[in-house]
Amino acid sequence: GAGVSQSPSNKVTEKGKDVELRCDPISGHTALYWYRQSLGQGLEFLIYFQGNSAPDKSGLPSDRFSAERTGGSVSTLTIQRTQQEDSAVYLCASSLSQGGSEKLFFGSGTQLSVL
Amino acid sequence: SQQGEEDPQALSIQEGENATMNCSYKTSINNLQWYRQNSGRGLVHLILIRSNEREKHSGRLRVTLDTSKKSSSLLITASRAADTASYFCATRSGNTGKLIFGQGTTLQVKP
């Protein structure tokens, strides 16, 4: 695709419900990242996928958070039993390779509101 | 914990003035990148400087890197109202693939 696509753009859910956030990276990009950004804050690293390697899950805040990447392309971030503190913008980004120098291309994010 | 920390947290200047933002980091790095985020969502890559470089230019942007002090600065010259945004530095260290972002500097350029 032309850019990184995230859906939905906005999600309102009730506390305790599960949510799934989707990310379609740029075609051919082997690296995919998820970040979380609370209002007025910086980006908090969540998880990183690179090709067929095991993902780096070191940023996931709790076992309620999980992510998968199917076929090396689309990724889904799942939050189980959502809490109010999960409210934030969830950003996905992709890059050509780990390389070390590759810049990230970001989607527009999913604004998650947990009531 | 976040690797990079930007300073100042917020900056307000008049159009035409220069804006300088600083970033400090904790561990050795391969490169340092600067990104911009307009109000809303996605970030846009601005410039990358490698650990063996000391200065880099791109249009009105000038980035410096001091690996001995583990710090970088982003200078925007002749600022415009359209430069109003948040600016983040990001670092990738060692063999890790993950890119860690700082807390950002919010820049307001008044017309």
Side-chain angles (χ1 to χ4, degrees), chain A residues 16 18 20-21 25 34-35 38 41-42 46 53-54 58 61 63-64 66-67 70 78 86 92 95 98 108 111 114:
Chain A
D18 297 351
E20 285 189 352
L21 312 179
W34 283 98
Y35 293 88
S38 300
Q41 301 298 309
L46 296 178
S53 302
S58 60
D63 58 8
R64 295 187 297 105
S66 63
T70 55
T78 301
D86 299 334
C92 175
S95 68
Q98 180 198 338
S108 296
Q111 171 73 64
V114 182

Side-chain angles (χ1 to χ4, degrees), chain A residues 18-48:
Chain A
D18 297 351
V19 295
E20 285 189 352
L21 312 179
R22 177 188 169 103
C23 173
D24 281 274
I26 293 173
S27 178
H29 280 195
T30 58
L32 186 146
Y33 307 74
W34 283 98
Y35 293 88
R36 177 170 73 174
Q37 186 177 31
S38 300
L39 187 62
Q41 301 298 309
L43 274 69
E44 176 187 3
F45 169 80
L46 296 178
I47 189 168
Y48 160 67

Side-chain angles (χ1 to χ4, degrees), chain B residues 11-85:
Chain B
L11 181 61
S12 182
I13 59 174
Q14 293 294 135
E15 206 165 26
E17 295 179 338
N18 296 340
T20 300
M21 288 158 270
N22 303 296
C23 168
S24 60
Y25 56 91
K26 298 176 183 176
T27 63
S28 298
I29 60 171
N30 295 328
N31 62 69
L32 186 144
Q33 304 180 35
W34 285 90
Y35 287 79
R36 166 190 166 133
Q37 182 180 39
N38 286 67
S39 62
R41 316 283 187 80
L43 282 72
V44 175
H45 179 268
L46 294 176
I47 195 167
L48 178 151
I49 186 166
R50 293 183 170 78
S51 59
N52 61 352
E53 297 176 312
R54 291 296 168 260
E55 188 172 311
K56 201 162 184 179
H57 297 253
S58 176
R60 293 185 296 112
L61 304 180
R62 172 178 168 248
V63 170
T64 62
L65 179 65
D66 187 335
T67 53
S68 66
K69 295 181 180 178
K70 292 186 168 60
S71 67
S72 173
S73 67
L74 171 67
L75 169 67
I76 303 174
T77 61
S79 63
R80 306 166 181 168
D83 294 329
T84 295

